[in-house]
Amino acid sequence: ALFHAAALGGKTVDEVWGWVVNVSHANEALEIIRGDTRGISEHADRLAMVLQAPAEKRATEWATVATVLSYLDSRSVRAWLKPTAGKQFDIPRFLLNRGTLFMVGNEDGSGGYQQVVGALMEEIDHVADGLAAAMPGSRIDPPVSFILDEAANFHIQMLPKLISAGGGAGKQVLAVCQARSQMSAWGPGPANLTRSRAGKRGFQAWHTNKPNE
């Protein structure tokens, strides 16, 4: 609801974070949605339910919102989400022109960016599905490849769905982990689901001449 309000009102992620850190300011988001003919009433109703709840319940539910959107506390993340004129990421053009996007991170520094990376991947996947639906055989051409090296460093929630259903729409996924145990960081459910939905699984045995390794 907050991002919907920001989109309608021409607000940036700075304003969204301002609503998050001060729940009383979030009434502005509610007013934006209800005052715009493009506003989705369901978003407004859910937001109003939280904002108008008794103080204790509102504080509990808003704490969840703050946790989910905690990555916006980083100024560098917010700066990345505010592209300057001419720097917007045109996903349809990117896909149709066979573009390549590198997203680089590591396990130690990924915490603040995981949700941003996941959201970007989901949006690319969503746009690819829309393009595929308009093409012969409902398959995107050129095909889209998601090559995820050190995939366990990020918890990508849509990965099981992408692995199981992507091939039918012209999307290919290659996820690489150093060991199956790395996937345990996702939790047993997501890890098992990802493994079970993989069409092909390959294992590479590594060995070294160094003693005790």
Side-chain angles (χ1 to χ4, degrees):
L2 298 181
F3 284 110
H4 179 53
L8 293 174
K11 306 293 185 180
T12 71
V13 287
D14 290 329
E15 283 85 5
V16 172
W17 183 238
W19 295 335
V20 172
V21 298
N22 191 328
V23 64
S24 64
H25 292 174
N27 285 297
E28 180 187 9
L30 181 59
E31 293 170 2
I32 290 173
I33 299 174
R34 286 185 166 169
D36 195 306
T37 56
R38 299 167 297 169
I40 299 175
S41 60
E42 291 82 355
H43 287 338
D45 292 343
R46 285 195 291 268
L47 181 57
M49 188 179 301
V50 175
L51 296 179
Q52 296 167 8
E56 186 175 342
K57 182 178 180 181
R58 181 176 64 243
T60 300
E61 296 197 13
W62 207 251
T64 301
V65 174
T67 299
V68 172
L69 297 180
S70 60
Y71 61 92
L72 291 179
D73 187 35
S74 167
R75 289 184 181 180
S76 59
V77 169
R78 296 202 306 272
W80 188 45
L81 295 174
K82 293 185 297 182
T84 56
K87 296 294 185 179
Q88 292 85 352
F89 185 30
D90 187 334
I91 298 178
R93 178 178 294 180
F94 164 77
L95 294 175
L96 295 175
N97 288 345
R98 301 176 183 268
T100 300
L101 174 66
F102 294 91
M103 291 187 286
V104 182
N106 57 56
E107 186 174 8
D108 294 332
S110 67
Y113 293 84
Q114 279 203 53
Q115 289 161 298
V116 179
V117 170
L120 178 56
M121 283 191 59
E122 290 200 30
E123 185 64 15
I124 292 173
D125 180 52
H126 176 71
V127 173
D129 282 340
L131 293 173
M135 294 183 177
S138 296
R139 296 176 64 87
I140 187 169
D141 184 22
V144 178
S145 297
F146 295 83
I147 303 175
L148 311 175
D149 190 18
E150 297 287 0
N153 285 350
F154 291 89
H155 183 190
I156 304 169
Q157 295 183 353
M158 47 90 75
L159 187 55
K161 171 181 173 292
L162 182 62
I163 288 176
S164 62
K171 297 177 293 186
Q172 305 165 352
V173 183
L174 173 62
V176 181
C177 299
Q178 290 189 21
R180 292 179 60 178
S181 59
Q182 280 190 318
M183 300 172 67
S184 63
W186 299 345
N192 291 335
L193 187 60
T194 300
R195 285 195 296 264
S196 66
R197 291 192 173 183
K200 293 183 179 180
R201 286 176 285 176
F203 299 90
Q204 173 68 53
W206 297 92
H207 60 85
T208 175
N209 293 327
K210 294 181 181 181
N212 301 322
E213 292 189 1

